């Protein structure tokens, strides 16, 4: 048993397959997209392999693309904030619940993730349409006379995205909240702190890593989401993802589509870097 | 090095008629399991009392009941005459030193100590001064801006103490305050803690399972067993006159002689248990006696252990006297009846 493999060789053996996987299915595609993004667009032959920065100039100066990026980031921020506001009390309740209630609440919280994405999205279409369940009930109860514009707009997109983001946010928060030592709350209580002060001064600061992780997860997920904005937005809400789809299919402008992919990648990388900077100490 | 806190009360020299803490008839159950079964306890102002007992005896439950973290099904808790039974911990004005210290990890030492003062709405500058005084009192002035995790265990313990006393509590509760420290530091902190408690004159109740710690710090010891109080006494009385074989054994107050061995004491009723302090049991060489099975050097004393039919008994001798005995030496045991006590059933 003295034929121990050198550490480095063993490491290569363990990490080799996953490295290869990432090289083939992640790095290589991105390299190809990057290459495509600096090629010239051609209506006749999709693209001409000729170096140009025109696509980047277009994306970074054209008001349409600037508004598109601002709208996508805004959507990400909005969904993140709503998920946080809804998810924090939920996570707090789950973290403090007894073992049986906790399992039940976690199962309920995770349920949106257990439904197929398309089924979930079509269900929202049924609920939020002009003749959908919600509008029918509102009119039946006499609360409204005409259907409210619930579907096919930004509202529907936000609702659909929050629905799937909430479990991600809640899970990130539960893990951190559960690890806060109960004795800290007792100590603050004995020192005279009200419930509000304990939340503000002890629990909230100590759960910042969870808020950071959950926000990062939800934001990057939201700005990259395609099916939800595309279906619930009813072709009236465009995000970077829906425009990328449009560029690679209907308008067949691959170079600009590739440039938008890179833009999305840069935004995500920037947010991850910002998160790393803010939560380095933890 | 230690400063006097001008805002702290002077130790009370005259005993008041009203106890600082009065606990009466406490019954506490957790899901059908009785944790406390009728606890009555009075602690005088400025007194330092230890709750001593094995794990599961209810001492921590009693501490948490007094603190207000758990609410008993029956019984009253009065602090300086004020009924606090229905009050949340935040309204009781009790300082607590937790076993794990429970220092706020995201705050500096100063911020930790300031916390209770901020909760009381004390103006910033006055609060800071008081917090700095308290930090000085525990000898940590140079560490006020450190985070808890940058401090040693002993230093964290002092911060926890400063945070608990700065609010000028009506009562100081300490839950196994020295349990996490190593032996040498623990002995040093015992002395410091006791001195500080005396200087501040604060009424204090501390939980421990270590009888030596209880003996060395407490004015009185409350021995607990199975959710009940077994005995309340000064360390000296507890040692000299335990009220049961269990207490005698738990606090290590001497040998217990049962059955025939108990007849060593003339007039002892049959079936009684006799307490013989370790240093009162005498040994003499005798070829037809019992062998010495163990020998331990305790510093000022040497302990000899003999296996009798009734169990192991120990005798503490001076090192000079013990030099005549080694493991295997056969001995007879004697005790002066005047040194023996029949323990109540």
């Amino acid at each position: 048993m003295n034929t121990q493999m050198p550490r480095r060789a063993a490491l290569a053996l363990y990490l080799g397959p996953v490295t290869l996987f990432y090289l083939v299915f992640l790095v290589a595609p991105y390299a190809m997209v990057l290459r495509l993004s600096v090629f010239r667009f051609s209506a006749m032959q999709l693209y001409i392999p000729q170096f140009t920065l025109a696509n980047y100039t277009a994306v970074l100066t054209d008001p349409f693309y600037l508004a598109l990026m601002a709208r996508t980031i805004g959507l990400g921020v909005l969904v993140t904030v709503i998920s946080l506001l809804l998810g924090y009390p939920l996570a707090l309740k789950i973290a403090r619940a007894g073992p049986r209630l906790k399992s039940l609440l976690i199962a309920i919280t995770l349920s949106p993730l257990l439904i197929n994405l398309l089924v979930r999205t079509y269900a929202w279409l049924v609920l939020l349409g002009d003749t959908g369940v919600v509008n029918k009930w509102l009119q039946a109860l006499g609360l409204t006379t005409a259907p409210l514009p619930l579907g096919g707009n930004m509202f529907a997109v936000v609702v659909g995205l929050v629905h799937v983001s909430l479990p991600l946010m809640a899970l990130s928060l539960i893990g951190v909240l559960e690890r806060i030592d109960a004795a800290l709350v007792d100590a603050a209580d004995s020192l005279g702190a009200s419930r509000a002060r304990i939340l503000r001064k002890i629990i909230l600061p100590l759960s910042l890593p969870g808020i950071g992780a959950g926000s990062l997860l939800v934001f990057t997920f939201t700005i990259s989401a395609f099916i939800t904005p595309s279906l619930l937005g009813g072709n009236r809400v465009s995000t970077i993802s829906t425009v990328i789809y449009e560029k690679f299919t209907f308008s067949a402008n691959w170079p600009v589509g590739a440039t938008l992919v890179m833009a999305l990648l840069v935004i995500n990388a920037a947010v991850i870097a910002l998160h790393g900077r803010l939560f380095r100490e933890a | 090095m230690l400063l006097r806190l001008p805002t702290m009360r002077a130790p009370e020299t005259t005993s008041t008629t009203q106890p600082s803490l009065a606990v009466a008839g406490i019954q506490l159950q957790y899901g059908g399991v009785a944790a406390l079964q009728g606890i009555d306890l009075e602690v005088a102002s400025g007194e330092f009392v230890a709750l001593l007992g094995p794990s599961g005896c209810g001492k921590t439950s009693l501490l948490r009941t007094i603190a207000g973290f758990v609410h008993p099904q029956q019984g009253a808790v009065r602090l300086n005459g004020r009924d606090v039974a229905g009050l949340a911990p935040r309204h009781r004005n009790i300082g607590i030193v937790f076993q794990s210290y429970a220092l706020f990890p995201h705050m500096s030492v100063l911020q930790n100590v300031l916390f209770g003062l901020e909760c009381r709405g004390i103006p910033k500058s006055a609060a800071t001064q008081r917090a700095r005084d308290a930090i000085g009192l525990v000898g940590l002035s140079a560490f006020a801006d450190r985070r808890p995790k940058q401090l040693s265990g002993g230093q964290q313990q002092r911060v926890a103490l400063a945070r608990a006393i700065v609010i000028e509590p009506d009562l100081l509760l300490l839950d196994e305050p020295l349990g996490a420290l190593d032996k040498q530091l623990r002995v040093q902190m015992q002395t410091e803690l006791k001195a500080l408690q005396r200087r501040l004159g604060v009424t204090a109740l501390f939980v421990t399972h270590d009888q030596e710690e209880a003996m060395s710090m407490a004015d009185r010891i409350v021995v607990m067993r199975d959710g009940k109080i077994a005995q309340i006494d000064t360390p000296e009385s507890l040692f000299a006159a335990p009220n049961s074989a269990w207490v005698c054994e738990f606090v290590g107050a001497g040998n217990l002689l049962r059955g025939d061995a108990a007849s060593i004491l003339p007039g002892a009723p049959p079936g009684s248990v006799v307490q013989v302090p370790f240093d009162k049991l005498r040994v003499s060489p005798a070829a037809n006696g019992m062998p010495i099975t163990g020998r331990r050097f305790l510093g000022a004393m040497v302990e000899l252990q003999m296996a009798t039919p009734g169990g192991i008994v120990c005798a503490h001798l001076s090192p000079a006297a013990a030099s005549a005995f080694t493991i295997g030496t056969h001995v007879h045991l004697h005790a002066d009846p005047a040194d023996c006590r029949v323990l109540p059933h």
Side-chain angles (χ1 to χ4, degrees):
Chain A
M1 282 297 165
N2 53 3
T3 55
Q4 246 191 13
M5 230 185 304
R7 283 181 60 87
R8 190 178 282 200
L11 210 60
L13 192 67
Y14 297 144
L15 295 180
V18 72
T19 309
L20 192 68
F21 180 85
Y22 278 135
L23 279 176
V24 174
F25 294 104
L26 192 79
V27 178
Y30 266 121
M32 287 162 74
V33 171
L34 177 66
R35 187 165 149 269
L36 197 54
S37 74
V38 292
F39 284 165
R40 194 178 298 280
F41 167 67
S42 157
M44 305 304 290
Q45 49 194 124
L46 288 176
Y47 61 88
I48 302 166
Q50 206 174 70
F51 181 81
T52 174
L53 287 176
N55 304 316
Y56 284 92
T57 315
V59 166
L60 292 175
T61 56
D62 188 327
F64 170 78
Y65 292 118
L66 290 177
L68 177 71
M69 286 189 282
R71 185 163 54 244
T72 306
I73 292 171
L75 177 68
V77 170
L78 185 65
V79 171
T80 304
V81 169
I82 294 173
S83 299
L84 185 60
L85 292 179
L86 295 178
Y88 202 90
L90 176 67
L92 212 51
K93 176 71 190 165
I94 292 175
R96 289 175 182 177
R100 287 177 64 182
L101 182 60
K102 182 179 286 184
S103 312
L104 180 70
L105 289 176
I106 286 181
I108 293 172
T109 305
L110 292 189
S111 61
L113 298 180
L114 304 178
I115 310 166
N116 175 280
L117 173 64
L118 278 171
V119 174
R120 188 174 60 218
T121 309
Y122 277 108
W124 278 115
L125 280 177
V126 172
L127 284 169
L128 298 175
D130 281 358
T131 55
V133 178
V134 174
N135 267 320
K136 273 188 179 168
W137 273 95
L138 285 175
Q139 287 175 62
L141 292 169
L143 294 171
T144 55
T145 46
L148 289 178
L150 300 176
N153 55 23
M154 198 53 139
F155 173 80
V157 174
V158 170
V159 167
L161 286 172
V162 166
H163 184 216
V164 261
S165 298
L166 199 51
L168 303 178
M169 180 63 87
L171 275 189
S172 306
L173 292 171
I174 291 166
V176 173
L177 288 171
E178 274 181 334
R179 282 198 300 275
I180 296 178
D181 184 359
L184 295 180
V185 174
D186 283 351
D189 194 350
S190 75
L191 287 167
S194 62
R195 280 172 203 279
R197 186 185 281 265
I198 292 173
L199 183 65
R200 205 172 68 243
K201 297 283 189 175
I202 309 294
I203 295 174
L204 211 53
L206 290 177
S207 62
L208 279 179
I211 294 176
S215 299
L216 176 70
L217 212 57
V218 170
F219 183 84
T220 54
F221 168 81
T222 301
I223 64 168
S224 314
F226 166 67
I227 294 207
T228 307
S230 143
L231 289 183
L232 292 180
N235 290 328
R236 284 186 289 270
V237 176
S238 54
T239 66
I240 298 179
S241 297
T242 64
V243 173
I244 290 171
Y245 178 73
E246 193 255 340
K247 291 294 174 195
F248 274 96
T249 53
F250 307 119
S251 60
N253 188 338
W254 288 14
V256 165
T259 307
L260 286 171
V261 171
M262 297 319 289
L264 200 53
L265 184 69
V266 167
I267 294 170
N268 272 328
V271 173
I272 292 168
L274 178 72
H275 174 266
R277 213 181 152 77
L278 289 176
F279 293 93
R280 192 164 30 188
E281 205 196 4
Chain B
M1 181 184 69
L2 294 182
L3 303 170
R4 173 115 193 100
L5 277 189
T7 48
M8 293 286 175
R9 279 163 283 127
E12 292 190 30
T13 45
T14 53
S15 65
T16 47
T17 47
Q18 179 178 278
S20 184
L21 169 71
V23 169
I26 295 287
Q27 301 272 358
L28 176 69
Q29 297 192 341
Y30 290 121
V33 180
L36 296 174
Q37 308 178 49
I39 300 290
D40 297 292
L41 174 66
E42 290 197 347
V43 179
S45 183
E47 202 179 11
F48 200 7
V49 170
L51 296 178
L52 175 68
S55 56
C57 72
K59 55 191 193 297
T60 298
S61 293
L62 179 55
L63 193 87
R64 292 183 66 79
T65 300
I66 295 168
F69 296 129
V70 291
H71 295 279
Q73 279 74 24
Q74 270 183 55
V77 178
R78 302 181 78 81
L79 257 182
N80 292 332
R82 178 172 62 115
D83 182 9
V84 296
L87 293 183
R90 69 185 68 104
H91 296 127
R92 294 192 180 198
N93 199 37
I94 292 177
I96 305 176
V97 175
F98 291 83
Q99 187 171 9
S100 61
Y101 312 138
L103 297 177
F104 306 129
H106 57 301
M107 297 184 192
S108 68
V109 168
L110 181 63
Q111 287 169 327
N112 263 280
V113 178
L114 269 173
F115 189 86
L117 300 174
E118 288 167 350
C119 293
R120 284 161 173 72
I122 292 167
K124 185 83 182 164
S125 61
T128 306
Q129 190 54 50
R130 270 174 68 176
R132 288 200 181 278
D133 286 347
I135 293 168
L137 202 62
V138 295
L140 287 179
S141 293
F143 300 89
D145 297 323
R146 297 263 186 106
R147 290 283 175 96
K149 69 178 172 189
Q150 297 172 301
L151 302 177
S152 71
Q155 289 167 334
Q156 291 182 25
Q157 212 274 336
R158 288 157 194 257
V159 177
L161 190 60
R163 187 178 67 176
I165 60 173
V166 76
I167 59 171
E168 294 179 28
D170 291 323
L171 178 67
L172 182 63
L173 298 178
L174 307 109
D175 186 7
E176 302 265 2
L178 309 176
L181 304 179
D182 59 53
K183 172 97 183 170
Q184 199 183 348
L185 194 55
R186 202 157 65 219
V187 172
Q188 183 198 333
M189 283 303 294
Q190 284 172 6
T191 314
E192 278 189 35
L193 200 56
K194 171 98 184 174
L196 188 65
Q197 183 269 339
R198 273 184 179 276
R199 280 160 50 87
L200 298 176
V202 62
T203 310
L205 194 62
F206 80 101
V207 157
T208 181
H209 62 267
D210 180 345
Q211 54 96 359
E212 263 180 61
E213 191 170 292
M215 297 276 176
S216 69
M217 287 202 289
D219 298 322
R220 279 195 303 154
I221 296 174
V222 178
V223 183
M224 292 186 66
R225 182 192 187 190
D226 298 337
K228 294 179 189 136
I229 292 175
Q231 187 169 1
I232 306 181
D233 238 318
T234 61
E236 293 82 359
S237 304
L238 198 63
F239 216 76
N243 66 4
S244 67
W246 185 85
V247 171
C248 177
E249 201 154 23
F250 186 73
V251 301
N255 296 297
L256 291 174
L257 304 181
R258 294 181 165 90
D260 288 346
S263 63
I264 192 171
L265 192 62
S272 60
V273 179
V274 171
Q275 174 200 6
V276 185
F278 298 123
D279 58 337
K280 303 297 186 199
L281 191 65
R282 279 181 248 133
V283 292
S284 60
N288 63 343
M290 63 192 73
I292 292 173
T293 55
R295 194 177 191 279
R296 264 193 331 147
F297 181 61
L298 302 177
M301 292 282 193
V302 172
E303 180 179 275
L304 301 179
Q305 295 166 354
M306 279 71 58
T308 71
I312 303 262
V313 296
C314 302
H316 289 183
L317 278 66
S318 71
S323 62
F325 303 97
T326 57
I327 290 178
T329 308
H330 287 252
V331 294
H332 274 171
L333 302 175
H334 318 268
D336 186 337
D339 294 326
C340 303
R341 270 183 81 243
V342 176
L343 289 171
H345 276 286

